[in-house]
Amino acid sequence: MEKVALTEAFATFDEQWSPRVAGELNGQAVKLAKVEGEFVWHQHDDADELFFVHDGALTIELRDEPDVHLDAGEFVVVPRGVEHRPVADEEAQILLFEPSGTKNTGNVESELTQTEEKRLE
Amino acid sequence: MEKVALTEAFATFDEQWSPRVAGELNGQAVKLAKVEGEFVWHQHDDADELFFVHDGALTIELRDEPDVHLDAGEFVVVPRGVEHRPVADEEAQILLFEPSGTKNTGNVESELTQTEEKRLE
């Protein structure tokens, strides 16, 4: 049973918008990602998605309601089917909690689409 | 869509060993708990359980392998069926991820068993 220390884990990779699976439980995955700039608008038709900010700040832009701004130590759940776009003015370190196998760009194909699931090393 | 700020959320309750549901997604719950002292030995036969420390430190005692010590910013997943006992020398603020409805004392009835699910207010 291996613990994960977030600060150390984030230091093991540099790639942005490329989540690393850091743990799995009950069919769900805990993923760590470094993000900066604007992601693509997308939605997950069959997956609720939790965003937690470990370091920095992240804005979840939404089509039909006010944006949600998250600072470190804050989280929000984006329900399935809700179109959203994560945006970070400066690099942020975030934790995602979502069903294992959830594609990062949801219903959209983009140059940011991750074709292969990556694991924390 | 309401965000949760952990530090503010933990300030809304004092009771120890009494998790508050702070969010739900994909049949799973995010729960916040203040803990201090020794919990009861127990296991969850059908639920993996993630422990994340927001503030303080927590030790997960295990029967058959070394204890796992978690400081703030660290997490571990205790697989289903693994007997464990959380222990905190001083009050710690922790976050749990587990299936909605998971009983805090698992297979054991104790004075610490929470009979009613509580929500963050």
Side-chain angles (χ1 to χ4, degrees):
Chain A
M1 205 174 306
E2 293 275 325
K3 74 174 178 182
V4 175
L6 292 186
T7 299
E8 290 172 26
F10 278 110
T12 64
F13 66 96
D14 293 320
E15 199 178 356
Q16 295 182 333
W17 301 115
S18 180
R20 261 61 174 176
V21 176
E24 289 190 282
L25 64 161
N26 307 307
Q28 315 289 308
V30 180
K31 301 177 182 177
L32 308 186
K34 290 183 172 177
V35 301
E36 184 174 9
E38 297 173 350
F39 200 57
V40 292
W41 280 103
H42 69 285
Q43 66 193 54
H44 305 280
D45 290 329
D46 51 6
D48 311 318
E49 190 170 36
L50 183 150
F51 293 85
F52 172 79
V53 175
H54 172 63
D55 187 64
L58 179 73
T59 297
I60 307 292
E61 296 184 355
L62 301 163
R63 292 283 194 202
D64 301 321
E65 50 183 309
D67 298 344
V68 177
H69 182 82
L70 301 174
D71 288 311
E74 300 183 343
F75 75 84
V76 74
V77 175
V78 177
R80 59 193 66 195
V82 172
E83 200 180 13
H84 59 282
R85 180 171 76 157
V87 175
D89 292 340
E90 299 179 6
E91 184 174 272
Q93 298 179 350
I94 69 171
L95 186 151
L96 302 160
F97 189 56
E98 60 191 15
S100 295
T102 299
K103 201 169 71 173
N104 65 334
T105 59
N107 64 323
V108 171
E109 288 289 337
S110 127
E111 57 185 13
L112 292 171
T113 299
Q114 194 176 31
T115 53
E116 179 186 18
E117 191 161 78
K118 296 185 180 176
R119 303 195 150 265
L120 201 63
E121 291 179 0
Chain B
M1 205 174 306
E2 294 275 324
K3 74 175 179 181
V4 174
L6 292 186
T7 299
E8 291 172 26
F10 278 110
T12 65
F13 67 98
D14 292 321
E15 198 178 357
Q16 295 182 334
W17 301 114
S18 179
R20 261 61 174 175
V21 176
E24 289 190 283
L25 66 162
N26 307 307
Q28 313 290 307
V30 180
K31 301 177 181 177
L32 309 185
K34 290 183 172 177
V35 301
E36 183 175 10
E38 297 173 349
F39 200 57
V40 292
W41 281 102
H42 70 286
Q43 66 192 56
H44 305 280
D45 289 330
D46 51 7
D48 310 318
E49 189 170 37
L50 183 149
F51 293 86
F52 173 80
V53 175
H54 172 63
D55 188 65
L58 179 73
T59 298
I60 307 292
E61 295 184 355
L62 301 163
R63 292 284 194 201
D64 302 321
E65 51 182 309
D67 298 343
V68 178
H69 181 82
L70 301 174
D71 287 312
E74 300 184 342
F75 75 83
V76 74
V77 175
V78 177
R80 59 193 64 195
V82 172
E83 200 179 14
H84 59 283
R85 180 171 74 158
V87 175
D89 292 339
E90 300 180 6
E91 184 175 271
Q93 298 179 350
I94 69 170
L95 187 150
L96 303 161
F97 281 140
E98 59 190 16
S100 296
T102 299
K103 202 169 71 172
N104 66 334
T105 58
N107 64 323
V108 171
E109 289 290 337
S110 126
E111 58 184 14
L112 291 171
T113 299
Q114 194 175 30
T115 54
E116 179 185 16
E117 191 162 77
K118 296 185 180 175
R119 302 196 150 265
L120 202 62
E121 292 180 0

